[in-house]
Amino acid sequence: MCTSIFQVARNGVHVLSRTMDWPRLENSPMFVPRKYQWHSSFNRHLIQNKYAFIGGGELSNKRTDIADGVNEYGLCAQKLTFGNGAHFVDEIDDSKVQIAPFEFVFWLLGNFKSIADITEHIADIQLMSQKNSVIKYGNPELHFAVTDPTGAIVVIEPTTWPMRIVANPLGVVTNSPHFERQIQQLEKYVDFKPEFKAGKMPINVPKVTTGKLSGKATPPGSYSPGVRFLRAAYLKERADQPADEAEAIITSWHLLDSVTVPQNLTHQQTFSVYRAATVAESRSYYFQSYHQGEMSKLQLTDDMLTATEAVVYNVPDELTVNQLN
């Protein structure tokens, strides 16, 4: 369970935010330098990245992983659970880059500059089942939200090979398959612009609906993937377009409030263990774990591009406040 929301500010800044819904907090903000070397859990082959990036993830001897981040070219990517939608490759093919599904965002941010760059090379990559893997990692069903400084926003789905790259001008993703079916269900709550319905929506348009809500239903309040999709899209379309990065982060946090799953261990294992946002232009990563009162910010500066060591930042998952007296 996760929810992703994309926004375009009036000054052209692009922000990709998300909740991470999981049984426990495992990720921390981190920096990965250029030319970083790592071994895939699938076949333990050595991979050397090209580009530096920051984001939220885990670096250890057992796991090289990032769930969301932004690289030095402003490419932003997230992984989200994709229940009953993903189909992975079983057979070994040395002519392809074959990695574990959870490693895909790490590979994208380390090796590509833009969505156009990814599209050109998407046929070279395969996400592998654990049938022939060196390390067993279960069946991590995932799909991926990606944007870049051009304002293009897509969903990458491992439902076919090569993987599908689906334009997503609505800018909302949750966990269910059949993205097109979710769009159809949303029509009960909003009126789409004609160009959106025709599949001809240009990039960098902040709203894909007319704003007319007369006679429309109000989305329900549960936390199922389908309902979170409806609620996030509905509220995103109703919210004012933010002016700049600061307003976009504030708006993102309020929109994410509507889909943040509270901790309730009696009835379910997963809750929103953190929320995060990446900014393509400033190469910034905003992070707030469930128990924090304030957010943390990490920025990929030009000085960091010459660094050679990865860094994982310790952000305690505890209440932080601005004490006034």
Side-chain angles (χ1 to χ4, degrees):
M1 293 171 61
C2 301
T3 305
S4 171
I5 302 175
F6 173 69
Q7 291 191 92
V8 183
R10 293 200 302 271
N11 69 347
V13 165
H14 302 96
V15 176
L16 186 62
S17 62
R18 62 95 50 84
T19 58
M20 169 59 83
D21 300 341
W22 203 243
R24 58 197 169 275
L25 179 63
E26 297 180 343
N27 291 355
S28 299
M30 66 182 191
F31 161 72
V32 177
R34 290 172 174 172
K35 299 182 180 180
Y36 185 80
Q37 294 185 337
W38 54 286
H39 293 86
S40 171
S41 293
F42 170 66
N43 54 18
R44 303 309 292 165
H45 287 182
L46 179 65
I47 299 173
Q48 179 170 291
N49 289 347
K50 299 176 183 177
Y51 309 128
F53 57 86
I54 57 174
E58 178 184 359
L59 290 179
S60 67
N61 292 332
K62 295 181 179 180
R63 193 175 181 92
T64 302
D65 188 12
I66 191 166
D68 36 68
V70 56
N71 75 6
E72 61 182 275
Y73 288 95
L75 180 69
C76 303
Q78 303 168 341
K79 64 178 179 182
L80 300 92
T81 305
F82 191 44
N84 301 313
H87 300 283
F88 300 124
V89 177
D90 291 332
E91 302 307 320
I92 295 173
D93 182 349
D94 291 334
S95 69
K96 306 289 186 182
V97 176
Q98 296 186 314
I99 58 177
F102 66 84
E103 297 168 335
F104 185 56
V105 171
F106 200 94
W107 185 74
L108 284 181
L109 295 178
N111 291 280
F112 295 95
K113 298 179 179 181
S114 65
I115 289 172
D117 193 11
I118 295 169
T119 302
E120 184 178 349
H121 296 92
I122 196 67
D124 299 336
I125 179 74
Q126 291 180 335
L127 307 187
M128 306 301 293
S129 73
Q130 66 171 1
K131 178 180 178 180
N132 292 306
S133 65
V134 175
I135 297 174
K136 300 305 177 185
Y137 39 75
N139 184 34
E141 294 185 288
L142 299 167
H143 61 167
F144 311 91
V146 185
T147 189
D148 64 26
T150 68
I153 173 74
V154 300
V155 179
I156 302 178
E157 296 182 344
T159 54
T160 60
W161 296 99
M163 285 186 278
R164 293 180 71 213
I165 300 179
V166 184
N168 179 20
L170 177 66
V172 174
V173 188
T174 55
N175 313 108
S176 296
H178 309 299
F179 180 73
E180 292 83 358
R181 190 179 303 169
Q182 288 183 303
I183 295 294
Q184 292 174 358
Q185 292 172 344
L186 188 56
E187 290 196 80
K188 180 180 178 181
Y189 306 94
V190 298
D191 281 321
F192 288 116
K193 294 178 179 178
E195 55 266 45
F196 178 84
K197 296 182 72 172
K200 297 180 180 180
M201 201 74 191
I203 62 174
N204 290 309
V205 176
K207 308 291 182 184
V208 300
T209 62
T210 64
K212 298 177 182 178
L213 300 175
S214 177
K216 293 292 183 178
T218 301
S222 76
Y223 292 106
S224 69
V227 171
R228 282 185 287 109
F229 179 89
L230 296 174
R231 194 160 59 247
Y234 179 86
L235 293 174
K236 175 179 182 283
E237 289 294 313
R238 292 197 63 178
D240 288 339
Q241 184 184 9
D244 53 22
E245 178 174 328
E247 284 194 12
I249 295 298
I250 292 168
T251 302
S252 295
W253 253 233
H254 286 297
L255 292 173
L256 292 175
D257 283 339
S258 72
V259 291
T260 295
V261 180
Q263 187 172 8
N264 186 349
L265 298 180
T266 302
H267 298 288
Q268 63 185 31
Q269 289 187 327
T270 60
F271 64 101
S272 298
V273 295
Y274 75 83
R275 58 180 65 182
T278 51
V279 184
E281 286 70 26
S282 68
R283 302 183 308 203
S284 296
Y285 182 69
Y286 294 82
F287 177 90
Q288 183 185 42
S289 63
Y290 184 83
H291 295 98
Q292 283 184 279
E294 299 177 335
M295 67 180 77
S296 303
K297 178 183 177 182
L298 176 63
Q299 188 167 13
L300 183 58
T301 64
D302 288 341
D303 289 342
M304 293 171 70
L305 299 180
T306 61
T308 58
E309 297 294 329
V311 180
V312 178
Y313 297 85
N314 179 31
V315 179
D317 184 25
E318 59 189 34
L319 181 64
T320 54
V321 296
N322 181 16
Q323 184 70 43
L324 298 179
N325 61 7

